[in-house]
Amino acid sequence: MEVFLASCIVAGTPLLFATVGELITEKSGSLNLGVEGMMLIGAVMGFTVAYNSGSPWLALAGAMLGGGGGGLLFAIVTVTLRANQVVTGLTLTIFGTGFCKFVGQPLLGLSVPAEVSSFFAKKSLPLLGDIPFLGPVFFRQDIFVYISYVTVILAAIYLYKTRPGLNMRAVGENTAAADASGINVTLHKYLHIIIGGMLCGLGGAYLAVIRVPIWQEDVVNGRGWIAVALVIFASWNPIKALLGAILFGGLSIAGLRLQAMGFSISQYLVDMIPYVATIVIVIISTRKRRKESQPPADLSNNYFREER
């Protein structure tokens, strides 16, 4: 059981980065459906930098730069040019797919350098790794997993315990009122869209550099869309996003686990499980909600000061 739960966390880590990234973006009032594209850009950038430099830290920086660049493009088109956010997000996904194939074509079949793989090998945290049950599950993981824990905690503190987080939520709930109170709406939207993109890029890099350290074009494989649904499932709350990521990580490997136990299950059915679960959970999650579980009131609405 411990091994399976630990595997659920590993499988859910890329989803967690992408979910928290999209959550931060949506909390600022922007609906970016380009999560898949930003994860692909982050994946190919992270792998490319890791392969050519042999530096794990540069690989992380490259992935964040790639994902953040995708977020910047989205911000320019939707915040400054006020284009439709849904269409722009879908276009960003198409762009990210093409960019990934173009840049990744020469990398097909290549592996991450040994020094990078060894750096991201699983390491037990002192004392915490020795806790019965919890230690093997949560605290005998790779550094990327530990970074995801810190990301969730920092995101929760930022959103609910700091003034900049309050200002950001105000922008998402009532942009005109936030602007009238002196909050720099454009700055907040740009900043949080880019941060969201950087986290999505890290999610893609986790898949390309750690989970599947041999480059393949289909490395993200629809996880960006699951992350978008997870934001709804988590009610725009980072802590719930952690639980949701572990749950969906478990669903993504449950079929493989059953196959390993000797059950005869079609591979197509195995691949379908997380997506069917996504549809079911989104339907359940979008039914009656408490006020605190509602999406930001100004989500996906473009703002122009002169139209107040």
Side-chain angles (χ1 to χ4, degrees), residues 9 13 40 51 56 66 85 89-90 97 100 118-119 137 160 165 185 201 203 212 218 221 228 282 287 291 304:
I9 292 175
T13 296
L40 285 166
Y51 180 78
Q85 294 182 16
L90 296 175
T97 303
C100 181
S118 61
F119 179 84
V137 173
Y160 304 116
V185 169
V212 188
D218 199 25
N221 195 27
V228 173
V282 167
R287 302 191 67 173
K291 184 177 179 181
F304 181 47

Side-chain angles (χ1 to χ4, degrees), residues 40-63:
L40 285 166
I41 295 172
V44 72
M45 290 290 289
F47 187 94
T48 300
V49 174
Y51 180 78
N52 289 290
S53 71
S55 169
W57 295 113
L58 287 179
L60 293 178

Side-chain angles (χ1 to χ4, degrees), residues 6-7 10 117-124 140-143 146:
S7 299
V10 171
S117 297
S118 61
F119 179 84
F120 289 121
K122 291 185 177 183
K123 298 178 178 65
S124 177
R140 295 181 188 175
Q141 301 283 1
D142 58 75
I143 190 172
Y146 300 141

Side-chain angles (χ1 to χ4, degrees), residues 94-274:
I94 296 171
F95 170 78
T97 303
F99 180 86
C100 181
K101 290 184 177 180
F102 177 75
V103 176
Q105 186 64 36
L107 303 173
L108 287 173
L110 298 179
S111 301
V112 171
E115 56 268 30
V116 176
S117 297
S118 61
F119 179 84
F120 289 121
K122 291 185 177 183
K123 298 178 178 65
S124 177
L125 290 181
L127 300 179
L128 293 175
D130 297 327
I131 299 175
F133 186 75
L134 295 179
V137 173
F138 291 98
F139 304 115
R140 295 181 188 175
Q141 301 283 1
D142 58 75
I143 190 172
F144 243 102
V145 174
Y146 300 141
I147 292 174
S148 73
Y149 298 160
V150 175
T151 299
V152 169
I153 294 171
L154 291 179
I157 294 173
Y158 177 76
L159 284 172
Y160 304 116
K161 300 296 182 181
T162 67
R163 179 170 291 276
L166 175 62
N167 290 343
M168 181 262 280
R169 288 189 288 129
V171 171
E173 292 294 339
N174 193 323
T175 311
D179 188 20
S181 68
I183 298 173
N184 190 327
V185 169
T186 300
L187 175 62
H188 275 76
K189 283 185 174 290
Y190 263 83
L191 179 63
H192 294 101
I193 291 171
I194 292 172
I195 290 174
M198 293 169 72
L199 291 175
C200 290
L202 282 179
Y206 185 79
L207 291 166
V209 178
I210 299 178
R211 284 292 305 280
V212 188
I214 299 175
W215 179 252
Q216 54 184 12
E217 289 181 346
D218 199 25
V219 64
V220 175
N221 195 27
R223 288 177 177 85
W225 300 110
I226 295 178
V228 173
L230 266 177
V231 174
I232 302 171
F233 172 75
S235 302
W236 291 266
N237 184 305
I239 305 300
K240 292 181 180 178
L242 173 61
L243 300 177
I246 294 174
L247 170 62
F248 274 78
L251 290 173
S252 67
I253 63 174
L256 298 175
R257 179 84 171 183
L258 291 173
Q259 287 180 337
M261 294 171 62
F263 291 93
S264 179
I265 302 177
S266 169
Q267 184 61 42
Y268 297 107
L269 180 61
V270 170
D271 295 338
M272 188 176 64
I273 290 174

Side-chain angles (χ1 to χ4, degrees), residues 15 52 81 88 172 181 238 244:
L15 290 174
N52 289 290
L81 302 179
T88 304
S181 68

Side-chain angles (χ1 to χ4, degrees), residues 31-34 70-71 73-79 82-95 302:
L31 177 62
N32 187 354
L33 297 181
L73 284 174
F74 179 86
I76 291 172
V77 175
T78 59
V79 178
R82 300 194 301 279
N84 183 282
Q85 294 182 16
V86 174
V87 174
T88 304
L90 296 175
T91 304
L92 179 57
T93 291
I94 296 171
F95 170 78
N302 290 332

